[in-house]
Amino acid sequence: MTMKRFRFLTSGESHGKSLNAIIEGVPAGIRIKPEIINEELKRRQIGYGRGDRMRIEQDTIEIKSGIRLGKTTGAPICLEIKNKDYANWEDVMSVIGYEYPTEEMLKKIEEKSFTKVRPGHADFAGAKKYNLSDLRDVLERSSARKTAIEVAVGSVAKQILKEFGIVGFSHVVQIGDVKLDFYPKTYTMIKEKAEKSDVRCADEMTADRMRNAIDKAGEVGDTLGGRFEVIFGNIPIGLGSYVHWDQALDGRLAQAVMSIPAIKAVEIGAGVDSAHLRGSQMHDEIFVGRNKETYRQTNNAGGIEGGISNGETLVVKGTMKPIPTMKKALSTVDLKNNTSALAHFERSDVCAVPACAVVAEARVAIILVDELLTKIGGDNLVEMKAHYGI
Ligand code: EPS
């Protein structure tokens, strides 16, 4: 993804020492609170259907640079989350290739090596692409574990957006076959209810059925996917553009959410439902009020028209496939000798849709802050606010 103003890179393996990020382009003078980042990390960790790893980790951020006395200085920000589980993986994940490894080391490495591809995971294509014979080398970076540090980056983005009154949330609308049919009336109500729910669902009865479905899938060694929505309000008109394909806000958001592990579809507003709506039903009519202000009564466009934010609420929907690491092993190939086998299994989640929704919030916030900085410019918060007119 080509970022324009707010750029970052991450590094780290699932069972390596730590996950890291360096963010560049954050203007000076912005208050960043580590405790807010930690709250976001916690939101990503909770969720019904998560595996045992989440009981080991208590993701905590360490800010290593770029912030002094609570505020950004304009310098790059370096973030780190230590993997607690690394203590159990030190030999397996050792950076050093010892010439004379101990028998014990070799045994541990061998135990964690695998060659039986998990269909649906990155194993097959990753092994071929990088010429890796031990699928551990694919798993470690392709794991969704890396989304923890992305949520930390997203939290920095959210804290910038909040200075401009731009705030968002996410909620889960489907897990397996169980769909949310009853939506609370307002976004505030959806947010409050979803935030209290361990499946991020705004209706308690539906949440019960979702938990039930997760239990049932887990009992037979299966996994479940689902759908979620990310909603951001108070977005200014004019983020993104129609002048070039890579500047369209909907296109950028789609890329940002689609590249989260296990995402198979991204929609904006009415999304796939727009296929069966007539033009007269789909498009959000514009009305003019007493004071010449314009308003709409519908938002099928999801806040974007012509690749540009139109001032309405931004609605991004994501569909996650069931996690491919399953106790119920599928037929596959053993890459050691190209023979038929049953897929590798190791500790995993039955369902991670609620966590994925939190990751998607972070990705959306990152794109919004990049677009906001591109539009209003400024090297510090005072300048930015002056440009924004607040
Ligand atoms: C994850 C940590 C992982 C998995 C999950 C996401 O922990 P471990 O592999 O040590 O059990 O729980 O990763 C996947 C589902 C995957 O397919 O890669 C996390 O921190 O979110």
Side-chain angles (χ1 to χ4, degrees):
M1 157 87 50
T2 314
M3 300 295 281
K4 299 173 205 164
R5 289 286 305 259
F6 181 94
R7 303 190 302 152
F8 70 100
L9 278 177
T10 72
S11 71
E13 278 79 36
S14 182
H15 306 98
K17 249 186 197 166
S18 59
L19 301 164
N20 297 76
I22 294 183
I23 317 173
E24 193 228 34
V26 179
I30 295 167
R31 213 169 267 289
I32 299 291
K33 293 190 174 168
E35 59 269 31
I36 293 183
I37 303 181
N38 287 336
E39 274 168 33
E40 294 282 359
L41 294 177
K42 207 168 169 189
R43 288 174 76 231
R44 193 200 75 96
Q45 281 203 270
I46 51 181
Y48 199 81
R50 293 286 258 157
D52 289 343
R53 178 73 183 272
M54 292 301 103
R55 277 184 269 278
I56 299 173
E57 303 296 341
Q58 243 186 337
D59 292 339
T60 311
I61 202 68
E62 192 181 324
I63 302 178
K64 302 178 90 99
S65 68
I67 294 172
R68 189 169 163 262
L69 306 176
K71 284 186 179 178
T72 58
T73 61
I77 297 174
C78 181
L79 303 174
E80 180 173 279
I81 297 170
K82 289 200 168 70
N83 284 324
K84 273 196 174 173
D85 206 17
Y86 176 65
N88 306 315
W89 289 75
E90 267 187 61
D91 288 331
V92 179
M93 296 304 292
S94 167
V95 172
I96 298 159
Y98 292 103
E99 233 172 290
Y100 304 104
T102 62
E103 292 243 328
E104 198 195 344
M105 271 181 188
L106 284 174
K107 201 174 148 224
K108 282 187 187 168
I109 294 165
E110 184 55 36
E111 265 171 20
K112 294 294 183 191
S113 297
F114 70 103
T115 51
K116 293 169 185 161
V117 165
R118 292 165 299 167
H121 218 294
D123 300 348
F124 183 80
K128 301 282 177 200
K129 177 177 171 70
Y130 294 107
N131 190 30
L132 300 169
S133 53
D134 180 359
L135 295 175
R136 172 68 42 202
D137 283 322
V138 179
L139 179 153
E140 285 298 326
R141 182 62 183 166
S142 63
S143 166
R145 175 79 193 134
K146 62 182 173 296
T147 60
I149 196 72
E150 293 165 0
V151 165
V153 175
S155 176
V156 172
K158 280 185 179 179
Q159 292 183 61
I160 303 171
L161 291 173
K162 204 160 177 220
E163 294 281 357
F164 300 86
I166 303 168
V167 287
F169 71 98
S170 65
H171 70 121
V172 170
V173 297
Q174 186 174 343
I175 286 182
D177 285 335
V178 183
K179 285 185 191 163
L180 174 72
D181 294 319
F182 167 78
Y183 280 61
K185 273 197 187 114
T186 63
Y187 281 137
T188 314
M189 282 161 79
I190 297 178
K191 181 185 166 166
E192 272 173 17
K193 293 196 167 191
E195 213 55 52
K196 283 189 198 136
S197 158
D198 60 0
V199 279
R200 301 195 73 71
C201 178
D203 178 59
E204 274 165 38
M205 297 254 278
T206 315
D208 268 346
R209 289 168 51 225
M210 286 174 171
R211 277 189 288 271
N212 219 346
I214 294 170
D215 287 343
K216 289 229 166 83
E219 278 161 22
V220 293
D222 223 324
T223 55
L224 288 183
R227 298 177 76 219
F228 57 82
E229 295 181 355
V230 175
I231 289 146
F232 269 80
N234 255 336
I235 301 197
I237 299 175
L239 303 186
S241 176
Y242 52 76
V243 301
H244 288 297
W245 66 278
D246 58 346
Q247 291 182 19
L249 182 61
D250 40 7
R252 296 196 73 202
L253 288 167
Q255 198 280 338
V257 176
M258 185 65 109
S259 52
I260 299 170
I263 292 292
K264 297 308 277 182
V266 184
E267 301 165 70
I268 307 286
V272 295
D273 289 338
S274 49
H276 63 77
L277 294 177
R278 292 187 173 200
S280 55
Q281 298 168 311
M282 171 71 197
H283 301 299
D284 309 306
E285 287 186 288
I286 303 174
F287 303 97
V288 181
R290 252 194 229 147
N291 301 318
K292 299 261 180 211
E293 80 282 8
T294 56
Y295 67 93
R296 311 201 197 206
Q297 287 171 337
T298 54
N299 185 24
N300 286 330
I304 304 176
E305 288 170 308
I308 305 175
S309 60
N310 64 4
E312 302 296 318
T313 302
L314 177 70
V315 182
V316 183
K317 299 173 179 171
T319 301
M320 185 189 196
K321 71 182 179 183
I323 285 170
T325 310
M326 289 184 290
K327 275 195 201 137
K328 187 179 187 169
L330 299 177
S331 296
T332 193
V333 58
D334 186 341
L335 291 181
K336 193 162 58 183
N337 40 21
N338 264 5
T339 51
S340 297
L342 286 176
H344 168 78
F345 172 73
E346 66 181 53
R347 177 186 66 192
S348 187
D349 313 296
V350 175
C351 176
V353 178
C356 191
V358 175
V359 177
E361 268 177 46
R363 296 271 180 112
V364 169
I366 287 165
I367 296 300
L368 288 178
V369 91
D370 190 43
E371 284 293 342
L372 184 74
L373 283 164
T374 304
K375 180 165 174 61
I376 67 176
D379 294 305
N380 60 71
L381 187 61
V382 175
E383 226 169 52
M384 283 176 78
K385 286 199 168 172
H387 294 172
Y388 203 68
I390 53 173

